[in-house]
Amino acid sequence: MTDNHRPESYSDSGFWEKLTKYAKSAGSEVVEKALTLYYVTADSNTPASAKAIIYGALGYFIFPVDIISDFIPVVGYTDDTVALAAAVKAMVDYTDQDHIDAAKEKIKEWFG
């Protein structure tokens, strides 16, 4: 996936590295939101302005320094969840069933 609208805090490799490493501790809700947004960005029909918002949220998700450290049990991913949920809500017009299904399929693969 090539896109010139990505912030420096986001990379596909960083996204997949964090997601696969911390999927269990982040939980299926966070992972599903992140995956759905990722699949929206992979869609060539998604406008660059929408991708920029998503890359910001995904960049925050993978950035190692958060408002609330990801390593704090129970609340560690709260800020990530909020950022991802806000992006999901903002991107509702660009999210279709294929994006949702792809995310759910990956969730099944990882969480059973």
Side-chain angles (χ1 to χ4, degrees):
M1 178 167 57
T2 306
D3 198 313
N4 296 328
H5 296 90
R6 294 182 194 174
E8 288 183 26
S9 61
Y10 176 82
S11 72
D12 282 351
S13 62
F15 171 77
W16 286 109
E17 180 181 322
K18 180 162 185 178
L19 204 58
T20 56
K21 187 174 182 180
Y22 297 106
K24 298 282 186 199
S25 62
S28 61
E29 180 183 354
V30 172
V31 173
E32 186 172 354
K33 285 176 177 42
L35 285 168
T36 300
L37 291 170
Y38 176 83
Y39 292 124
V40 172
T41 65
D43 189 332
S44 62
N45 294 320
T46 303
S49 59
K51 288 181 181 184
I53 291 168
I54 294 170
Y55 289 139
L58 293 178
Y60 184 81
F61 173 69
I62 66 172
F63 194 67
V65 180
D66 287 352
I67 294 171
I68 301 172
S69 175
D70 294 342
F71 300 107
I72 298 173
V74 181
V75 297
Y77 286 96
T78 303
D79 56 332
D80 297 286
T81 303
V82 170
L84 294 171
V88 166
K89 186 173 182 180
M91 296 301 107
V92 72
D93 290 340
Y94 306 109
T95 305
D96 64 31
Q97 195 60 48
D98 289 340
H99 306 138
I100 295 165
D101 291 345
K104 287 184 180 189
E105 201 55 42
K106 189 58 98 171
I107 290 291
K108 280 185 205 173
E109 180 183 320
W110 286 348
F111 290 92

